[in-house]
């Protein structure tokens, strides 16, 4: 629109003419919005508010008298407040490039002053402290011209051919080199160990692979061998089963034959032996009974014979008294007693003969009738001996 002006976001619009600005400024400041400007009666100018850069390269002498070449970069801009814009507009509006030149000169002076109060060691090791001190000393002066510093960076410090910084850094360089060598040795050792470990793992893997291959090969060979032996083994098992069946059949036939032999030979033989034993026992029993019967018959016959001979025995005994002188004291009673004594003597002789016969049967096994004659002869001879002794007195 005709007469309406708007500043850029990084600019401040300065309107001169008409009434004055704030604080008696010769112009009004407009930022962030537009404004109507009457043509021909008002004049509009723009002041940059963007970041500016100033580079400082200065030779400074330290507290030790050693010259150092210092290179620094300053980042600055016009302040956002109206006072800073007014101060900067009054100084740099016609030539805004002078802001960088002036800022560099200001910082160069403060940099020389501060470095002159420090040693090389402090400057080298404490660059941030150097920058902070330079900023603090230049802040008030920069505010007067409407500028603010955002940062100050010390980019390089060099002592030229003096070699002081190199000498100062030599121990550190040696330590660093030593540490680097140690680190390199450790890295080399670690690399060798890693290689050895990798080789060991590779060898272990190769060994395991070989073992697995060997196991697979052995298993395949075993399977092939089993497959090759399957036919003969099956035939051998079949033959073994046939032999087992034949053996069992032979055993059964042998057992059956044994049973047949037992039934045909052993049982009849046992039956015949039992029959013979029973017959023999029966025959022995019969012969025993016959022998007992015969012995009993012989004893009966002997007793009968002895009884039959008893009168003769008594007669023989009485005959022994025929030539004897017998004095009868009590008459008829005495004679009776003599006769009774003779009979009693005959009975005693008969019992003795029986006992002798029984004893001889037990000792020599002869039948009683074989010994009867001898007994009678002994009895007869005894009687004859008694009759030869002379007269017998009978009390």
């Amino acid at each position: 629109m005709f007469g309406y002006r708007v500043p850029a976001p990084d600019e401040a619009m300065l309107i001169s003419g008409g009434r004055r600005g704030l604080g008696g400024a010769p112009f009004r400041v407009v930022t962030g919005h537009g404004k109507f400007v009457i043509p021909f009666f008002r004049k509009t100018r723009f002041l940059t508010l963007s970041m500016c850069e100033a580079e400082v390269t200065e030779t400074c002498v330290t507290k030790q008298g050693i010259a150092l070449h210092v290179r620094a970069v300053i980042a600055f801009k016009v302040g956002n407040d109206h006072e800073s814009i007014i101060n900067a507009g009054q100084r740099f509006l016609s030539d805004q490039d002078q802001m960088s030149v002036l800022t560099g000169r200001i910082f160069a002076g403060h940099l020389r002053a501060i470095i002159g109060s420090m040693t090389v060691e402090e400057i080298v090791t404490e660059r941030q402290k150097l920058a902070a001190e330079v900023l603090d000393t230049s802040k008030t002066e920069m505010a007067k011209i409407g500028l603010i510093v955002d940062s100050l960076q010390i980019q390089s410090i060099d002592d030229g051919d003096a070699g002081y910084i190199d000498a100062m850094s030599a121990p550190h360089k040696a330590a660093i080199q030593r540490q680097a060598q140690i680190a390199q040795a450790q890295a080399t050792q670690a690399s060798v160990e890693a290689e050895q470990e990798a080789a060991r793992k590779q060898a272990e893997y190769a060994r395991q692979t070989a073992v697995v291959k060997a196991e697979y090969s052995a298993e395949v060979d075993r399977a092939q061998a089993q497959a090759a032996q399957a036919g003969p083994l099956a035939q051998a098992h079949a033959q073994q089963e046939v032999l087992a069946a034949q053996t069992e059949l032979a055993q059964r036939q042998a057992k059956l034959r044994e049973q047949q032999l037992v039934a045909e030979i052993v049982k009849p033989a046992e039956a015949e032996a039992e029959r013979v034993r029973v017959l023999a026992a029966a025959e022995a029993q019969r012969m025993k009974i016959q022998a007992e019967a015969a012995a009993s018959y012989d004893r009966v016959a002997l007793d009968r014979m002895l009884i039959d001979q008893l009168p003769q025995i008594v007669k023989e005994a009485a005959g022994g008294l025929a030539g004897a002188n017998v004095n009868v004291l009590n008459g008829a009673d005495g004679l009776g007693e003599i006769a009774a004594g003779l009979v009693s003597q005959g009975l005693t002789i008969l019992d003795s003969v029986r006992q002798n016969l029984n004893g001889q049967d037990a000792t020599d096994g002869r039948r009683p009738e074989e010994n009867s004659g001898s007994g009678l002869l002994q009895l007869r001879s005894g009687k004859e001996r008694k009759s030869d002794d002379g007269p017998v007195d009978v009390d």
Side-chain angles (χ1 to χ4, degrees), residues 155-168:
Q155 291 187 342
S156 64
I157 299 174
D158 185 14
D159 61 351
D161 297 333
Y164 188 89
I165 296 177
D166 292 337
M168 184 180 64

Side-chain angles (χ1 to χ4, degrees), residues 197-330:
E197 182 67 18
R200 187 185 66 80
K201 289 183 178 180
Q202 186 175 2
E204 181 67 18
Y205 177 76
R207 186 187 68 81
Q208 293 178 356
T209 303
V211 169
V212 172
K213 287 182 178 180
E215 291 179 353
Y216 286 163
S217 178
E219 186 175 357
V220 170
D221 294 340
R222 187 164 51 252
Q224 291 178 352
Q226 291 177 355
Q229 295 175 357
L233 285 176
Q235 185 177 2
H237 285 307
Q239 292 178 355
Q240 185 177 2
E241 291 179 357
V242 170
L243 291 175
Q246 291 177 352
T247 303
E248 184 178 0
L249 179 59
Q251 291 177 353
R252 289 183 179 179
Q253 290 177 352
K255 187 174 182 181
L256 180 60
R257 181 59 181 166
E258 181 182 357
Q259 293 176 355
Q260 291 177 353
L261 292 175
V262 169
E264 294 176 356
I265 299 175
V266 177
K267 293 297 182 180
E270 290 179 353
E272 181 65 21
E274 183 66 19
R275 186 183 66 82
V276 171
R277 186 184 63 78
V278 171
L279 291 176
E283 182 66 19
Q285 185 68 22
R286 185 184 63 81
M287 294 177 65
K288 180 179 180 182
I289 294 172
Q290 289 178 355
E292 290 177 354
S296 177
Y297 176 78
D298 291 341
R299 288 191 185 92
V300 171
L302 180 60
D303 291 342
R304 182 174 297 177
M305 182 183 66
L306 291 175
I307 292 171
D308 292 338
Q309 292 181 1
L310 182 59
Q312 185 65 28
I313 294 170
V314 173
K315 182 178 179 180
E316 293 293 333
L321 297 176
N325 294 321
V326 179
N327 295 321
V328 178
L329 298 179
N330 53 357

Side-chain angles (χ1 to χ4, degrees), residues 1-8 12-21 27-39 42-46 82:
M1 183 180 291
F2 181 76
Y4 190 78
R5 306 294 299 273
V6 178
M13 185 173 63
L14 306 180
I15 302 172
S16 59
R19 59 182 182 179
R20 292 180 176 273
F27 49 82
R28 287 180 294 174
V29 178
V30 178
T31 57
H33 60 85
K35 195 172 183 61
F36 284 102
V37 178
I38 301 173
R42 304 288 188 269
K43 189 175 182 177
T44 305
R45 301 286 298 272
F46 295 92
H82 283 248

Side-chain angles (χ1 to χ4, degrees), residues 49-52 73-80 103 107 135 142 147-153:
L49 301 179
S50 62
M51 181 66 64
C52 298
V73 177
I74 304 100
F76 67 94
K77 64 181 291 296
V78 177
N80 294 328
T103 299
F107 273 87
L135 286 175
M142 294 290 289
L147 302 177
I148 58 175
V149 180
D150 288 339
S151 67
L152 170 64
Q153 296 293 330

